Amino acid sequence: MLASRASAARSVQRISRSFATVADSAGVKVAAVDVGQPTSSVTLLVKAGSRFEPKAGVAHALKNFSFKSTAKRSALGTIREAELYGGVLSSSLSREHLALTAEFLRGDEEFFVDVLTSFATSAKFTRHEFLEYVTPIVEGETAAAQSDNGIRAVELAHALAFRNGLGASLFAPSHSSVTHEDVKAFAQNAFAKGNIAVLGTGIDQAKLAALIEKSPLASLAAGAASAPPSSRYFGGESRLEAHGGPQTVFIGFGSTGSPAELAALSAFLSAEPAGKWLQGTSPLAAAIPTNASVKPVFLPYSDATLVGLLVQGETAEAVKTAGTAAVSALKSAGSAKASDLTKAIAKAKFAAANALETRDGLVSVLGSKVLAGSDASLQTALSSLDKLSADGLNKTATSLLKSKPTYVAVGDIAALPFADELGL
């Protein structure tokens, strides 16, 4: 067992050492990690999340315009060639970043880097593709989000917590006025050297840097990185009528403080047990009704964090019982036992390390650090958790409770509780 732990520790150190930030001759930040996996991936991480959009829904539309016609290939040509190589192309959107990713067999990196960089530099953004391909997908994803009470609650929580910037939705409005010209203008501003980082897995960093140096990215304008207004936390309460799906309540707080302390607080509030089919030992686990669930929400951003609990149940009464227990657990964090806080810090450290087991995790955890030019290593994240103390975590929880909460109810709003009915 000791040998396996030592091996795991060495593996983490190897990943951390090899994932380093460089600025190649093209002026684009490039980072890669290679631990011998049989496949590779390259991601263009762009500061084009919803917090940067000038018009509601344009970032969502840009995400779905990915891999359409460019000056070099048609959309069909891109897909056909990618399939000949056996690769997979995908795009994802967060409030801060647009991620364009290619996954492929080792040795095919030259073609897929060309596909990614060609879209970033010469996408056509044609009207017919927007109407025929992009708009239906945008509308479908928006409709799916609006039918999910949990997503609706978290989206509205962002709007209440931060209003503008981070408060912008990941999804376009149901009746969006975004046009292909809006998307084109947004992309032209977003795809500048200061806004792009290139992240690789299963590929040598020097090789990836050389490919980027020869790619169309070298011809991009060397514009300054986008800098949205600093986030401020406001909080508030809102209720949405919804038919179907679980009764839902979000209880949370926003902060511009240390994300490490909030990560530990989120772990402290987690009712998830260490073993399947067992009951956890957290203060919250035993108080949740069998027909309800309470899940911690921890969403860190570059200048703020949203932390809280998503409470869902079959009935409004179950949600009220579970919600009352959730608020009680949140309040107890201000005077928690040292042993409970030690467990919370250990769970937070495991979550941070475990996130790096997947490519998506590497991009989400380390990508923003690479883009910002800061230290992109697991040791940095874990060391901030190592510095936490029980007293510091108690103070963080107490400080949060003194601020205005963010409270959202989605479902049967005539029966779902108000914030003060749960003890907030």
Side-chain angles (χ1 to χ4, degrees):
M1 180 177 291
L2 290 176
S4 65
R5 287 181 179 176
S7 176
R10 286 194 297 271
S11 177
V12 166
Q13 291 169 2
R14 184 169 64 250
I15 289 175
S16 300
R17 284 198 302 269
S18 58
F19 205 103
T21 302
V22 299
D24 70 359
S25 59
V28 179
K29 295 182 177 68
V30 179
V33 56
D34 187 2
V35 291
Q37 56 265 57
T39 60
S40 304
S41 76
V42 175
T43 295
L44 292 191
L45 195 69
V46 188
K47 281 189 174 182
S50 59
R51 75 177 300 180
F52 295 99
E53 62 185 9
K55 189 175 184 179
V58 70
H60 188 195
L62 177 59
K63 190 262 291 188
N64 287 295
F65 235 129
S66 302
F67 310 116
K68 301 299 186 292
S69 296
T70 66
K72 196 167 187 177
R73 301 176 182 85
S74 66
L76 180 59
T78 297
I79 296 302
R80 281 179 171 174
E81 288 187 71
E83 288 179 345
L84 285 173
Y85 282 96
V88 177
L89 303 173
S90 61
S91 60
S92 61
L93 182 71
S94 71
R95 283 180 160 75
E96 297 200 285
H97 304 118
L98 168 68
L100 308 174
T101 299
E103 299 172 84
F104 47 88
L105 295 170
R106 279 179 178 266
D108 295 336
E109 54 274 354
E110 185 172 354
F111 167 75
F112 285 99
V113 166
D114 185 62
V115 168
L116 292 169
T117 56
S118 293
F119 176 76
T121 56
S122 65
K124 292 184 176 180
F125 299 107
T126 61
R127 181 174 182 272
H128 76 273
E129 286 181 324
F130 179 73
L131 296 176
E132 295 175 16
Y133 303 120
V134 177
T135 299
I137 296 175
V138 168
E139 291 176 346
E141 290 179 344
T142 295
Q146 290 179 341
S147 66
D148 187 312
N149 290 353
I151 292 177
R152 292 184 73 186
V154 173
E155 287 293 300
L156 182 53
H158 278 85
L160 290 171
F162 303 112
R163 298 185 183 175
N164 301 314
L166 289 176
S169 176
L170 293 175
F171 304 95
S174 298
H175 303 287
S176 176
S177 61
V178 171
T179 67
H180 69 290
E181 292 293 345
D182 294 327
V183 181
K184 183 176 181 179
F186 179 55
Q188 286 176 339
N189 289 327
F191 291 134
K193 287 182 181 179
N195 288 335
I196 299 176
V198 182
L199 313 175
T201 65
I203 183 172
D204 178 71
Q205 181 156 316
K207 187 171 188 178
L208 180 58
L211 288 172
I212 296 302
E213 185 177 351
K214 295 185 297 181
S215 76
L217 285 184
S219 64
L220 281 177
S226 298
S230 299
S231 296
R232 289 180 56 200
Y233 175 67
F234 296 93
E237 181 171 353
S238 186
R239 305 168 73 79
L240 291 174
E241 183 71 38
H243 303 283
Q247 302 297 312
T248 302
V249 158
F250 175 83
I251 306 163
F253 297 86
S255 173
T256 56
S258 169
E261 293 174 340
L262 297 177
L265 176 62
S266 182
F268 171 80
L269 296 172
S270 175
E272 185 176 355
K276 194 174 183 179
W277 309 122
L278 300 175
Q279 181 173 294
T281 59
S282 75
L284 181 57
I288 302 173
T290 56
N291 58 345
S293 65
V294 179
K295 297 180 180 178
V297 174
F298 174 64
L299 298 170
Y301 300 104
S302 59
D303 59 350
T305 301
L306 182 66
V307 62
L309 294 160
L310 186 67
V311 184
Q312 295 186 297
E314 296 177 4
T315 66
E317 187 59 36
V319 168
K320 184 175 183 178
T321 301
T324 301
V327 171
S328 177
L330 184 59
K331 290 181 176 180
S332 72
S335 56
K337 298 177 181 177
S339 59
D340 289 332
L341 298 178
T342 299
K343 288 189 295 183
I345 293 171
K347 288 179 70 173
K349 290 174 65 175
F350 175 80
N354 192 51
L356 300 184
E357 292 291 326
T358 65
R359 283 175 173 152
D360 288 344
L362 277 169
V363 171
S364 64
V365 174
L366 301 180
S368 59
K369 295 181 180 180
V370 173
L371 193 52
S374 58
D375 181 17
S377 68
L378 178 61
Q379 271 86 357
T380 302
L382 295 186
S383 64
S384 62
L385 289 166
D386 282 329
K387 296 175 183 177
L388 291 182
S389 65
D391 184 57
L393 193 52
N394 286 336
K395 289 181 179 178
T396 297
T398 302
S399 176
L400 279 183
L401 289 168
K402 290 179 180 178
S403 63
K404 187 177 182 179
T406 295
Y407 182 84
V408 179
V410 181
D412 183 3
I413 57 175
L416 283 170
F418 287 84
D420 57 2
E421 295 178 306
L422 299 183
L424 286 172

